[in-house]
Amino acid sequence: MKKKFTYDYPRPAVTVDVVIVTREKKPRVLLIRRKHKPFAGMWAIPGGFVDMEETLEAAARRELFEETGVRTSRLQQLHTFGDPGRDPRGRTISVVYLASVDPRKLKPVAADDAAEVAWHDLRHPPALAFDHADILACARRRLREKM
């Protein structure tokens, strides 16, 4: 039996990612080491799936806090990434947020899906999971435009 308001076409999953960049002469980005498949052991931008009852920004703040213990006052929507093959688990669209922070005011701690959390050079990050290298390239372009 068909559920009310169910559509006949497939629906993608929606995720959020949060690029946290330091306000320093040589900016760094906060990355997590993934605890689970896919890409277990690789570095990634903090993020995860959006719950049905939450806004995109609320999901971004929740995922950032759950994985890193970090809270930030200002998030700016950076871009939406939706290439069909970006996630091996299935069709996933990610709304990405960007925040600039003073790293002296933060004490990141790995939790939830993160095995580790660390600051990395924004211009020369390690190999990244998913399409996160493309996401960081987009963030670098946005930051250059602001300068």
Side-chain angles (χ1 to χ4, degrees):
M1 184 171 172
K2 196 172 185 180
K3 291 183 180 180
K4 189 175 182 182
F5 303 115
T6 299
Y7 301 101
D8 290 332
Y9 60 89
R11 292 171 300 281
V14 179
T15 62
V16 288
D17 292 302
V18 185
V19 178
I20 299 291
V21 177
T22 61
R23 289 188 298 264
E24 299 174 296
K25 187 175 182 179
K26 291 186 177 184
R28 295 175 291 157
V29 61
L30 188 64
L31 299 174
I32 62 155
R33 188 179 297 274
R34 288 184 54 81
K35 196 184 289 187
H36 306 291
K37 292 180 182 182
F39 303 108
M42 288 191 71
W43 290 101
I45 295 166
F49 291 93
V50 176
D51 291 336
M52 292 300 284
E53 72 284 347
E54 67 186 342
T55 66
L56 293 169
E57 186 171 324
R61 290 180 184 285
R62 175 183 54 76
E63 284 290 342
L64 178 64
F65 183 74
E66 284 177 2
E67 292 184 344
T68 69
V70 170
R71 293 189 195 276
T72 183
S73 59
R74 182 170 151 81
L75 287 178
Q76 175 187 9
Q77 200 172 109
L78 174 65
H79 192 74
T80 301
F81 292 81
D83 286 345
R86 66 179 302 273
D87 189 329
R89 296 170 291 192
R91 182 76 167 107
T92 306
I93 296 168
S94 188
V95 179
V96 180
Y97 289 85
L98 175 65
S100 295
V101 299
D102 179 348
R104 297 170 298 177
K105 295 182 178 180
L106 302 178
K107 297 215 183 300
V109 178
D112 194 34
D113 296 334
E116 184 179 351
V117 63
W119 294 104
H120 294 269
D121 185 327
L122 178 62
R123 286 174 284 194
H124 305 288
L128 297 171
F130 304 101
D131 59 350
H132 291 190
D134 295 335
I135 293 173
L136 283 190
C138 181
R140 286 191 298 269
R141 283 190 303 273
R142 174 69 61 87
L143 292 166
R144 274 195 306 272
E145 290 168 3
K146 285 181 148 184
M147 294 178 129

